[in-house]
C-alpha cells in the first residue's frame, strides 16, 4: 500500500500544472495556495475558476479516460497532493461494484456530452445551459442514494458550463433566474451550498425550447463586460455578498452604481405583484415575545448552536419540518452541512409529524432559548 500513498509537489506562481487537451494520469488536492482553471477561447486563456485549499481538480479525465477539458495554472505558490490514476481507481474499486461501474459510466457520458455540446452548440446559450442541466440532473437522479445531495450543485454546474462556453457568472445567474421564474427549476440553499432541481424532467427540454426566443432576446442588449453583479463585486474587494447587500440596504452605496435592466426587471416585478413591494419592515421581538420556531430569526447563531447541540437530531428534524422558509434557513445556518444532510434525509414530512409532539418540541426550544438568554442577563 506504500506505493499508493499520495506524495506532494510544489508549483511557483504562474507555473502550468497541466494543459487543456492533455491526457490525465493524475489529479490533485490543493493543500496550500490557489490554482486557476483555464480554457483557451480564440487563443486567449480565460480563467474559469479559482480553487483553494482542500479542493480537488483533474479527476474527471482519469475516471472518464478522456482528454482534459481545461488547463490548470498556479495562481500563487502552491502545494498539491498528487492522486495517481492507480490510487483513484483503487479507492473507487473499494466501493460497491455497482457504484464503481456507475461512476465510470456517468463520468464517460458526461465527458462525451460535454464534447458534443462544444462541437454542436450554436449561439443559443439558453439551450446549451438547459441541455447540460438536464444531463446533470439525470445523473443526479440515477446516482446511488447514499451519494445523493439535494440536487445539482450550483457552483459545480457554473464551473462546467463555463468550461464549455465563454459565459460570465452573471449571465448564468440571469438564465437560472429566468428558469426559476417560469417554474422550470427550483433553486434551494442548504447551509452554504446552493442546489438546482428540475421540476418536470420529462418535459423540461421541450418547454425550454419553446421559451428559447424569449430568454435569448435579452442577450446582447446589456454589455456584461461593463457590469458586475454583487458576487463579482464582493470578490473584487475580498468581501462577502451578504455584507454588500447590507450596505445597499442602509444606503451606504451610491445610487448611480446600482442599476437594473428595465425590461427584465419589469417582467419579474409584474410576476411578483404589487403587494410584494408593500411589505413593512419586520418588527424585532424580544426573548420574552418569541412565539414559535420561526421567531428564531431574532436569536443569535451562537445561542442556537448551543441549544441545537442539546436538542438532538430527532427534534431538529421535527423543527425543520414545521418551520417556514426563514426558520429553516436559520436552523440550517446554525448546524454543520453534515448534520443538515443527515437530518434532511431522515426527517419526516410535515404530514407525518404528530402535532402534539411538534408543539412540545417547539415549546421546549423556546424554553431553552429563554433559559440561555435570560440566564446570561442575570
Amino acid at each position: 500500500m506504500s506505493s499508493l500513498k499520495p506524495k506532494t509537489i510544489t508549483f511557483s506562481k504562474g507555473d502550468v500544472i497541466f494543459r487543456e487537451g492533455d491526457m490525465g494520469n493524475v489529479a490533485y488536492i490543493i493543500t496550500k495556495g490557489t490554482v486557476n482553471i483555464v480554457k483557451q477561447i480564440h487563443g486567449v486563456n480565460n480563467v474559469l475558476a479559482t480553487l483553494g485549499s482542500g479542493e480537488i481538480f483533474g479527476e474527471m479525465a482519469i475516471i472518464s479516460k478522456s482528454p482534459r477539458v481545461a488547463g490548470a495554472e498556479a495562481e500563487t505558490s502552491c502545494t498539491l497532493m498528487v492522486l495517481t490514476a492507480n490510487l483513484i481507481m483503487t479507492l473507487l474499486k473499494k466501493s460497491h461494484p455497482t457504484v464503481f461501474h456507475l461512476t465510470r459510466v456517468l463520468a464517460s457520458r458526461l465527458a462525451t456530452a460535454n464534447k458534443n455540446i462544444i462541437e454542436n452548440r450554436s449561439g443559443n446559450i439558453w439551450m446549451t445551459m438547459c441541455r447540460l442541466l438536464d444531463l446533470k440532473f439525470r445523473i443526479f437522479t440515477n446516482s446511488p442514494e447514499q451519494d445523493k445531495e439535494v440536487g445539482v450543485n450550483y457552483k459545480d454546474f457554473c464551473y462546467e458550463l463555463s468550461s464549455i462556453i465563454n459565459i460570465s457568472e452573471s449571465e448564468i445567474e440571469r438564465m437560472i433566474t429566468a428558469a426559476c421564474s417560469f417554474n422550470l427549476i427550483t433553486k434551494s440553499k442548504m447551509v452554504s451550498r446552493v442546489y438546482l432541481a428540475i421540476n418536470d424532467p420529462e418535459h423540461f427540454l421541450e418547454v425550454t425550447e419553446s421559451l428559447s426566443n424569449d430568454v435569448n432576446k435579452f442577450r446582447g442588449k446589456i454589455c456584461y463586460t461593463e457590469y458586475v453583479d454583487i458576487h463579482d463585486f464582493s470578490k473584487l474587494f475580498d468581501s462577502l455578498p451578504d455584507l454588500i447587500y447590507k450596505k445597499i440596504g442602509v444606503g451606504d452605496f451610491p445610487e448611480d452604481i446600482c442599476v437594473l435592466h428595465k425590461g427584465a426587471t419589469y417582467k419579474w416585478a409584474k410576476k411578483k405583484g404589487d403587494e410584494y413591494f408593500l411589505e413593512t419592515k419586520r418588527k424585532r421581538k424580544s426573548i420574552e415575545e418569541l412565539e414559535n420556531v420561526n421567531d428564531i430569526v431574532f436569536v443569535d447563531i451562537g445561542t442556537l448552536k448551543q441549544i441545537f447541540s442539546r436538542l438532538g437530531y430527532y427534534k431538529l428534524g421535527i423543527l425543520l419540518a414545521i418551520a417556514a422558509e426563514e426558520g429553516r434557513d436559520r436552523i440550517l445556518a446554525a448546524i454543520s452541512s453534515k448534520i443538515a444532510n443527515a437530518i434532511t434525509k431522515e426527517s419526516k414530512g410535515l404530514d407525518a409529524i404528530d402535532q402534539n409532539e411538534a408543539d412540545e418540541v417547539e415549546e421546549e426550544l423556546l424554553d431553552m432559548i429563554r433559559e440561555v438568554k435570560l440566564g446570561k442577563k442575570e
Side-chain angles (χ1 to χ4, degrees):
M1 286 297 294
S2 59
S3 62
L4 295 178
K5 185 178 180 181
K7 67 176 183 178
T8 58
I9 188 171
T10 59
F11 289 90
S12 300
K13 179 179 180 180
D15 283 353
V16 174
I17 301 169
F18 56 73
R19 290 183 170 82
E20 179 184 347
D22 288 349
M23 291 303 297
N25 55 3
V26 294
Y28 302 92
I29 294 178
I30 304 171
T31 59
K32 183 180 179 182
T34 53
V35 171
N36 284 334
I37 303 301
V38 298
K39 187 172 183 65
Q40 278 217 349
I41 300 173
H42 303 305
V44 178
N45 267 4
N46 288 259
V47 177
L48 304 180
T50 300
L51 308 180
S53 180
E55 297 193 80
I56 185 172
F57 63 98
E59 77 288 353
M60 286 298 292
I62 295 175
I63 298 173
S64 64
K65 293 185 177 181
S66 59
R68 300 194 186 277
V69 297
E73 297 177 356
E75 187 196 38
T76 65
S77 296
C78 59
T79 302
L80 309 177
M81 183 185 296
V82 181
L83 304 178
T84 64
N86 187 32
L87 174 60
I88 291 175
M89 299 312 291
T90 298
L91 293 174
L92 278 174
K93 286 175 182 176
K94 285 184 178 181
S95 63
H96 191 281
T98 303
V99 175
F100 171 64
H101 176 71
L102 187 59
T103 302
R104 291 292 301 270
V105 170
L106 294 179
S108 179
R109 286 179 182 174
L110 181 59
T112 301
N114 283 353
K115 182 175 182 294
N116 289 339
I117 292 173
I118 293 170
E119 292 175 350
N120 300 324
R121 72 177 177 90
S122 63
N124 191 337
I125 62 168
W126 162 254
M127 286 309 301
T128 301
M129 182 198 78
C130 291
R131 290 189 183 102
L132 181 61
L133 181 57
D134 178 69
L135 172 70
K136 296 284 287 181
F137 191 71
R138 289 178 187 278
I139 292 174
F140 159 73
T141 54
N142 287 286
S143 61
E145 285 295 327
Q146 66 270 23
D147 296 334
K148 281 192 179 182
E149 296 186 83
V150 294
V152 176
N153 185 291
Y154 176 72
K155 181 181 178 182
D156 292 345
F157 176 73
C158 288
Y159 166 65
E160 286 200 40
L161 185 58
S162 296
S163 70
I164 294 171
I165 53 178
N166 184 23
I167 185 172
S168 67
E169 187 174 327
S170 60
E171 179 72 353
I172 295 174
E173 178 63 29
R174 180 186 73 82
M175 293 192 295
I176 292 294
T177 301
C180 289
S181 68
F182 289 121
N183 200 32
L184 296 171
I185 65 174
T186 299
K187 186 178 180 184
S188 58
K189 188 174 183 181
M190 178 69 75
V191 192
S192 59
R193 295 184 179 182
V194 177
Y195 296 93
L196 303 174
I198 296 176
N199 296 333
D200 182 6
E202 185 178 351
H203 302 102
F204 177 68
L205 289 180
E206 179 185 345
V207 176
T208 55
E209 184 77 51
S210 67
L211 294 170
S212 181
N213 289 335
D214 289 336
V215 178
N216 279 310
K217 70 181 180 182
F218 289 114
R219 190 167 192 260
K221 295 192 177 180
I222 307 173
C223 183
Y224 284 103
T225 57
E226 296 179 5
Y227 291 84
V228 291
D229 62 17
I230 299 298
H231 291 272
D232 292 334
F233 183 88
S234 64
K235 288 177 185 176
L236 286 173
F237 298 98
D238 197 24
S239 184
L240 295 170
D242 286 350
L243 181 60
I244 305 301
Y245 282 120
K246 287 179 182 178
K247 290 187 177 295
I248 293 174
V250 298
D252 274 355
F253 257 55
E255 293 180 8
D256 59 348
I257 68 170
C258 297
V259 297
L260 301 170
H261 184 263
K262 186 175 181 180
T265 303
Y266 177 75
K267 195 171 184 178
W268 171 79
K270 195 171 181 181
K271 281 184 173 289
K272 286 292 183 182
D274 295 339
E275 292 297 321
Y276 179 82
F277 301 96
L278 299 177
E279 292 178 336
T280 56
K281 185 177 179 181
R282 179 173 59 195
K283 181 184 176 183
R284 211 169 161 78
K285 290 186 177 183
S286 66
I287 297 301
E288 294 87 348
E289 293 174 320
L290 302 184
E291 297 176 351
N292 55 55
V293 64
N294 296 308
D295 287 342
I296 62 173
V297 296
F298 302 111
V299 182
D300 63 279
I301 293 292
T303 297
L304 292 178
K305 285 182 177 180
Q306 179 184 345
I307 291 169
F308 291 164
S309 66
R310 292 162 55 189
L311 274 175
Y313 286 14
Y314 178 73
K315 291 179 180 178
L316 276 176
I318 292 176
L319 293 174
L320 273 175
I322 64 175
E325 183 177 358
E326 286 186 309
R328 285 177 59 86
D329 289 344
R330 195 66 169 171
I331 293 173
L332 294 172
I335 59 179
S336 69
S337 56
K338 184 177 180 180
I339 293 175
N341 286 333
I343 294 173
T344 303
K345 287 179 180 178
E346 297 177 11
S347 63
K348 302 175 182 178
L350 184 58
D351 294 339
I353 296 293
D354 180 88
Q355 190 57 51
N356 291 330
E357 184 181 26
D359 291 341
E360 289 176 3
V361 173
E362 190 172 44
E363 191 58 40
E364 182 180 358
L365 169 70
L366 298 178
D367 287 343
M368 292 173 74
I369 292 173
R370 296 187 188 104
E371 176 189 337
V372 172
K373 297 301 289 183
L374 297 179
K376 288 179 179 179
K377 292 180 179 180
E378 294 175 353

